[in-house]
Amino acid sequence: MAIQSVRGMKDVLPPEAPRWQFIEATAREVLESFGFAQIRTPVLERTELFARSIGEDTDIVEKEMYTFADRSGEAVTMRPEATAGIVRAFLEHSLYATPGPHKLYFLGPMFRHERPQKGRLRQFHQIDVEVLDDAGPQVDAELHVLVDHLLTRLGLSNVKLVINSLGCPQCRPAFKQALVEYFQGQKARLCPDCLRRLAHNPLRVLDCKVEGCKAAAKGSPLISQFWCPDCRTHFDEVRRLTEMAGVSFETNPRLVRGLDYYTRTTFEVKTGELGAQDAVAGGGRYDNLVEALGGPARPCTGFALGLERLALLVPERPEWRQGPELFIVSLGEAPRRLAFYLCQELRKRRHMRVEMSNEDKSLKAQLRRANKDGARWVLFLGGEELSSSQAQLKQMSQGRQFEVAMGRVGDFFKNLEGPEMDNKVLAGIIDDFVDAICAKIKTG
RNA sequence: GUGGCUAUAGCUCAGUUUGGUUAGAGCGCCAGGUUGUGGCCCUGGAGGUCGAGGGUUCGAGUCCCUCUAGCCACCCCA
């Protein structure tokens, strides 16, 4: 067997490319209208950056990173997520010194060494959206509006925005402690995984899918009972503004996120159509990360969209399958040269999608290809057309055919002596022809 | 990282249970039926180291082992 791609790394082939282009173009347009500017950071970062931002004992850092020593022996990692690199750039270039908010977006590949499934690859792509240096509930709500609007523009319908607030360093410790105490009394009902979680990340017990754990979590304390006044006010305002903007959402006090740096507002967009990979977007506020990475206190919030998952959900659009506007069928050597030249001219001057057959195939074969390519018009260039100075233009969808005067093209070719074409002369002649064709195609 | 299912033509899949001549179908592709007219129809053709490697056997697509990849669930996440 020939060489295969690396596990979990997928090719996007030409038929799928328009889907990606549509998603990316729509995202750029929406993001820019919301005032976001693009930032591009490197794939490789120092390993330490991720260990410190994502959290030492998260799954990502413990077992999923592509980490290696480069040729100088430095520990580097292919980014498993975008936020850390963006915050690093924010600090490295002292962007915090200019007044916020800094609204940034990022689009690119991420790498996690997980077991691949549908909608889960080892190299996958995210659109990342970050608002740096703004603590206000407005930006949280704005991100909800943004993600809702973007998904609507992409044509997704069966999605649900779920939000929660995880509190802050003032109030979360008390909640965590209460949670641990509560589950200590429920130990008998918890699965082995949750017993482990109880020790190092008790919040995760809340969204375990095992029945026993779900039952045990039913009567657990809720973060909402522990929010400090500031967190409560903040989250209430986020919800009020999101609601006012007409974005529907659901508050789920058991929504927990895996990365250590989250504070206050967190959210996910879920779909029912991807099995276990039900999150198409997720994110939240990370008010303490910049400081934790050695910078000044700068509250931030952001989220990421999974492009592969979006690509699986975005409905097909007819404009993705557009064939050439014109296909030139030529018969014989001289007509084929003229066709070649015409092709280039129409592309350069009229930005027209034009194709032709380069081989000396039968008319039938050329027409079959024009049909398969989805060409709207076919131009016939053969001996008859050249000698009569009348080109034939066929409208494929209707099966109708028209005669178009060729001006002096035919004469020129009849008088053509050497094998070399005088491009200057030909170009002038072809202009008339081009106009005739364009006029015909426009009115058709 | 754990467990399960799967891998046969470019694509979707039969054939594997009961090992036995040249491994099939549909779609797609190419050509012809039309000396210069597509789609529909008809006819013909090309295309397969049966995922890879090893083993059992007189004989393996079929049985056994290993590996690789995909899918599903878990873990976790976009």
Side-chain angles (χ1 to χ4, degrees):
Chain A
M1 162 87 60
I3 295 173
Q4 293 180 309
S5 64
V6 173
R7 185 174 204 191
M9 314 260 160
K10 214 168 105 183
D11 301 306
V12 174
L13 300 177
E16 282 304 300
R19 175 181 297 280
W20 284 77
Q21 289 173 354
F22 169 71
I23 293 171
E24 291 171 7
T26 306
R28 286 203 166 97
E29 193 187 314
V30 168
L31 284 162
E32 279 165 22
S33 73
F34 275 73
F36 287 81
Q38 189 179 32
I39 183 169
R40 300 166 161 247
T41 66
V43 167
L44 281 183
E45 297 278 1
R46 290 169 202 266
T47 301
E48 184 194 4
L49 173 67
F50 299 115
R52 282 176 54 190
S53 61
I54 299 171
E56 291 280 5
D57 52 29
T58 56
D59 277 30
I60 292 178
V61 172
E62 272 179 7
K63 53 187 194 190
E64 293 175 2
M65 295 203 303
Y66 278 89
T67 294
F68 55 94
D70 74 5
R71 287 176 182 275
S72 62
E74 181 158 30
V76 294
T77 295
M78 295 165 77
R79 60 174 176 234
E81 57 102 46
T83 305
I86 292 171
V87 170
R88 194 224 77 233
F90 179 71
L91 291 175
E92 188 165 337
H93 304 286
S94 306
L95 300 182
Y96 54 79
T98 57
H102 301 269
K103 299 167 85 173
L104 304 173
Y105 77 91
F106 173 94
L107 197 156
M110 309 291 160
F111 302 83
R112 290 182 201 172
H113 193 102
E114 296 184 275
R115 190 110 158 204
Q117 263 173 261
K118 189 195 286 288
R120 160 182 290 176
L121 304 213
R122 288 183 174 182
Q123 174 175 339
F124 60 103
H125 297 75
Q126 288 187 337
I127 298 172
D128 209 74
V129 181
E130 311 284 356
V131 180
L132 303 166
D133 192 12
D134 193 322
Q138 295 82 0
V139 291
D140 298 72
E142 188 169 301
L143 293 186
H144 298 157
V145 177
L146 167 58
V147 74
D148 176 77
H149 180 237
L150 176 55
L151 296 179
T152 303
R153 282 283 304 274
L154 292 174
L156 270 65
S157 47
N158 190 12
V159 292
K160 195 169 67 177
L161 173 64
V162 185
I163 71 176
N164 189 24
S165 172
L166 295 182
C168 65
Q170 305 305 315
C171 51
R172 189 155 39 163
F175 169 60
K176 241 179 174 171
Q177 195 190 335
L179 209 56
V180 172
E181 277 165 19
Y182 170 81
F183 280 120
Q184 290 292 348
Q186 302 282 330
K187 265 186 167 172
R189 303 161 78 178
L190 297 181
C191 70
D193 280 331
C194 279
L195 290 173
R196 190 169 45 78
R197 289 183 188 118
L198 198 50
H200 76 276
N201 201 348
L203 296 191
R204 295 229 69 90
V205 180
L206 291 177
D207 69 348
C208 182
K209 284 144 200 148
V210 177
E211 280 309 319
C213 305
K214 274 191 189 165
K218 269 236 166 81
S220 76
L222 296 175
I223 180 68
S224 47
Q225 299 158 340
F226 289 81
W227 287 330
C228 60
D230 284 351
C231 281
R232 180 176 295 281
T233 308
H234 189 274
F235 192 52
D236 283 347
E237 185 64 10
V238 170
R239 285 188 287 188
R240 189 174 300 125
L241 290 170
T242 305
E243 209 172 305
M244 274 181 71
V247 175
S248 58
F249 63 91
E250 180 181 292
T251 304
N252 180 355
R254 298 184 204 284
L255 174 69
V256 165
R257 311 222 75 244
L259 282 48
D260 280 3
Y261 55 62
Y262 286 114
T263 55
R264 290 195 168 168
T265 317
T266 57
F267 68 95
E268 265 178 31
V269 177
K270 298 194 179 203
T271 170
E273 295 171 33
L274 291 178
Q277 278 64 250
D278 63 348
V280 293
R285 186 161 273 288
Y286 50 98
D287 286 341
N288 305 310
L289 178 60
V290 174
E291 210 172 356
L293 288 177
R298 290 289 185 275
C300 306
T301 182
F303 71 93
L305 287 142
L307 284 192
E308 279 75 6
R309 291 180 187 178
L310 285 181
L312 290 167
L313 296 173
V314 169
E316 181 92 16
R317 312 189 130 231
E319 66 262 31
W320 295 347
R321 301 283 168 252
Q322 285 202 341
E325 291 161 281
L326 182 72
F327 189 99
I328 305 179
V329 165
S330 58
L331 292 167
E333 212 175 320
R336 201 157 52 250
R337 287 202 189 101
L338 174 59
F340 175 81
Y341 186 77
L342 246 185
C343 255
Q344 316 313 329
E345 289 302 305
L346 287 167
R347 289 166 178 164
K348 288 192 291 187
R349 295 176 191 212
R350 308 286 155 159
H351 311 292
M352 206 182 231
R353 292 192 303 277
V354 191
E355 283 303 325
M356 64 176 285
S357 174
N358 293 326
E359 293 168 278
D360 185 19
K361 291 213 174 188
S362 71
L363 190 152
K364 186 196 188 94
Q366 294 186 51
L367 212 43
R368 248 203 295 264
R369 190 186 138 197
N371 183 56
K372 265 188 309 241
D373 287 1
R376 291 170 58 203
W377 287 86
V378 165
L379 171 70
F380 294 89
L381 282 184
E384 287 176 21
E385 283 76 15
L386 292 191
S387 55
S388 68
S389 292
Q390 298 290 313
Q392 299 290 326
L393 256 183
K394 181 165 188 171
Q395 189 179 26
M396 293 298 273
S397 60
Q398 309 296 321
R400 289 188 298 182
Q401 196 158 320
F402 305 87
E403 261 190 8
V404 184
M406 271 208 243
R408 289 150 55 208
V409 175
D411 292 329
F412 176 82
F413 264 85
K414 269 187 265 175
N415 298 329
L416 197 66
E417 287 179 8
E420 297 300 316
M421 286 188 265
D422 182 345
N423 282 345
K424 249 183 171 172
V425 176
L426 189 56
I429 291 164
I430 277 178
D431 259 357
D432 300 340
F433 195 30
V434 162
D435 287 336
I437 291 169
C438 288
K440 193 74 215 171
I441 288 178
K442 269 182 195 143
T443 57

